[in-house]
Amino acid sequence: MALAGGLLLLMGLSSGYRRQLPISTSAIYLLLGIGIGPVGLGWLRVDVHASAGWLQRLTEIAVIVALFVGGLKLRLPFRDPAWTAAWRLAGPTMLGTITIVALAAHWLLGYPAALAMLLGAILAPTDPVLASAVAVNDAADHDRLRYGLSGEAGLNDGMAFPFVVFGLLWASAGGSGGGSWIRDWFLHRLMWAVPAGLVVGFGLGWSVGRLAIWLRARHRDTTAPSDFFALALIALSYVSAELLGAWGFLAAFAAGVGLRHAEVEVSHGVPNPSRLERPPAETLVGSDVDPTELQEPAVAAGVMLAETVSFGDTAERLLEVMLVVLVGVALSVHWDPRSIPLALALFVVIRPVTARLLLAGTPTTGAQRWLMGWFGIRGIGSLYYLTYAFSHGITGEAAQALAGMTVSIVALSVLIHGFSARPLLAMYERRLAAGDSL
């Protein structure tokens, strides 16, 4: 408790100094975890395989909160070209990454085909928890680079799930590629679960959001607990999707997007020269709102959204601290030197080249496409899929091999992307401000 309190106090007081450092907060947390783990002070020891039960639930909570908050910041209509890069990254780019990583693990590292496929799926999604440095800053941020990365992080944590399940089913079938399980997987886990998760989540986010805004405006309620509302919407969307056999991760992300679209609709009544450039409702309200002002639905929406985003950001940061420190602690137990060449291939070649090729023709510049390719941050989502695999039949040497590779590559991603994010983004933003061609 003293360590946690001291860390949070230090991070709070040193915020101004940390912004000037060429390193992300996640990298700092990782280094702290290494320092208090077995290779440092020896205060903690974490075996991911032995701790898979509680670690799966903790990472699950962190991912769904991050997905919901991330979706809440994506305000542009789906027909806007900014979404194109997100769909390309979360779809064909992710599939290409899974395929190439699986082939590398099979042919170069000697993994059985099913286990290699599972590793590729575990490492494929980019992370909504650790990508805050490169994600959209707020709902008014429409930068194509940030928007594409934010949309990808929200979508592909759910889009990767069918392929994790495919790897598990393949492994349980003894590596056999035949049988009815492939047809069942395709129809249920892919063709049904993906669109159903998106529809269920968006529908709940939009409908419950419209109802909450209407009730707050009708009763002029300035005390309604928006944090409870956010938790309720996350839980309802996630569980509803799971009960219908759909992917809860996609539903949580879509619920955030749906709630934001509910705000966009009520904000259309706010005078503004351009319908598409109306500011987010939370920018229209101050810290102290008179109850009489809440009769305007846009103001009611702004109060609710401001509190919801603030609560979500706080919860996300707390979970990030806890989980990245645990990754640092677990690294001494699960470090696998073979992860270095695979990580470098993934970060430097596989992801950038795949993204650059498959983003061709999107309304993005060459520099934006290369940066989107570089910022394929691996993190908490991969840890969730790893622990999910442990609870669904992966044991023994296969479990140790997956744990070593996944934890090591996540740690390397936190360090490599953590040290490069701020300098690269600062250069990108300077060129944008100067009006240079990207």
Side-chain angles (χ1 to χ4, degrees), residues 48 56 73 78-79 104 125 130 147 171 244 257 267 285 291 313 365 391 407 423 435:
V48 173
Q56 179 185 347
K73 296 178 181 179
F78 296 124
R79 65 181 180 275
L130 306 184
Y147 211 92
L244 292 172
V257 177
S267 296
V285 300
D313 284 341
T365 65
S391 65
V407 172

Side-chain angles (χ1 to χ4, degrees), residues 66-79:
L67 290 172
F68 176 79
V69 175
L72 201 55
K73 296 178 181 179
L74 300 180
R75 195 169 186 265
L76 292 175
F78 296 124
R79 65 181 180 275

Side-chain angles (χ1 to χ4, degrees), residues 169-191:
L169 291 173
W170 193 4
S172 66
S176 171
S180 62
W181 67 267
I182 296 180
R183 183 188 68 251
D184 294 339
W185 169 86
F186 179 77
L187 294 175
H188 176 203
R189 302 290 189 169
L190 192 63
M191 299 306 294

Side-chain angles (χ1 to χ4, degrees), residues 7 11 19 42 90 119 169 281 321:
L7 173 63
M11 300 306 288
R19 281 197 297 268
L119 178 65
L169 291 173
V321 174

Side-chain angles (χ1 to χ4, degrees), residues 145 366 374:
L145 168 65
W374 172 249

